[in-house]
Amino acid sequence: MSSTRAERTERTDIIDTPAGEARITWHPAPAGKARLVLALGHGAGGGIEARDLQALAAALPALGITVALAEQPWRVAGKKVAAAPKVLDAGWNALWAAFAEPGLPVVAGGRSAGARVACRTSAELGAAGVLALAFPLHPPGRPEKSRAEELLGAGLPALVVQGGRDAFGRPEEFPERGARGASYELVEVEGGDHGFAVPKKTGPTQEEALAVITGAVAEWLGRLAV
């Protein structure tokens, strides 16, 4: 593992995994105030520059939550097509020791494909909870191809944050809480698409939509950290 220090106490670690080199960009809580680590993976169509990941990395450290943004090997290598699920899981699993190194509880999370990885691996890794941002419940236009079992199978405290017009699954399409043992919480971002972009002419502003995300995640993590 090698490290380079960036501005504002951020740092980047390059870590070898079975799938190649991965990268973690750390946004640490102030010294002595960290209560837990939130590890976040990106989606298949983009990286850690996603608006929701960046908003959480900017807002949460001041609340005692260290945010670790993880880039999968395929992304670090500059490839345009995401690796297969098993390869993504292997890459994520190889990063877990780094996430846990601060000695704090670790919440596994991510957006879209990264949320699926977190759901599939979190129980075995010993995560304190799962955060699913824009969980791809089904391919667009294919509700019969449900991935609900991945979400429900985590068996851990879970929060889903979903855009109200997400083509990969609108909030009302998710299983009812309590059905099949589902105990997750769900927060809707009004008007948000799969990337949490909102229409410019109606509904909340983009800043307000991101505030819904950061506020909901902060409140949920605060309860986990008690």
Side-chain angles (χ1 to χ4, degrees):
M1 182 189 310
S2 62
S3 302
T4 58
R5 187 164 297 279
E7 297 179 358
R8 301 191 312 276
T9 74
E10 298 171 13
R11 82 172 193 273
T12 299
D13 293 339
I14 302 297
I15 299 177
D16 289 328
T17 81
E21 289 187 342
R23 184 164 50 217
I24 302 176
T25 300
W26 293 88
H27 298 261
K33 295 185 179 180
R35 297 178 294 159
L36 56 79
V37 172
L38 174 62
L40 294 172
H42 55 79
I48 61 171
E49 71 278 2
R51 58 172 59 85
D52 49 341
L53 301 183
Q54 288 297 315
L56 291 169
L60 296 182
L63 304 177
I65 300 161
T66 289
V67 178
L69 300 181
E71 294 174 86
Q72 285 273 0
W74 70 270
R75 183 78 181 180
V76 175
K79 297 178 181 179
K80 296 182 179 181
V81 179
K86 289 184 178 180
V87 178
L88 296 178
D89 291 357
W92 180 260
N93 290 347
L95 300 180
W96 196 258
F99 298 147
E101 187 175 357
L104 300 168
V106 182
V107 172
R111 65 164 286 101
S112 194
R116 295 183 65 191
V117 172
C119 288
R120 289 194 298 260
T121 62
S122 56
E124 183 177 348
L125 291 170
V130 180
L131 172 62
L133 303 163
F135 185 83
L137 185 64
H138 57 71
R142 301 292 302 276
E144 73 280 4
K145 299 288 187 179
S146 176
R147 298 165 179 147
E149 290 303 325
E150 284 186 354
L151 175 65
L152 304 181
L156 296 170
L159 175 66
V160 177
V161 182
Q162 202 75 5
R165 58 187 182 95
D166 191 332
F168 288 81
R170 298 184 305 278
E172 62 268 22
E173 295 182 79
F174 280 73
E176 292 184 11
R177 269 68 75 198
R180 291 180 286 169
S183 60
Y184 66 94
E185 300 177 38
L186 190 149
V187 172
E188 178 177 348
V189 178
E190 181 184 349
D193 65 8
H194 194 57
F196 294 116
V198 296
K200 294 182 178 180
K201 295 183 179 180
T202 60
T205 65
Q206 191 64 67
E207 291 74 17
E208 289 170 338
L210 291 175
V212 170
I213 297 170
T214 57
V217 173
E219 192 275 334
W220 178 72
L221 291 175
R223 286 188 274 123
L224 283 186
V226 171

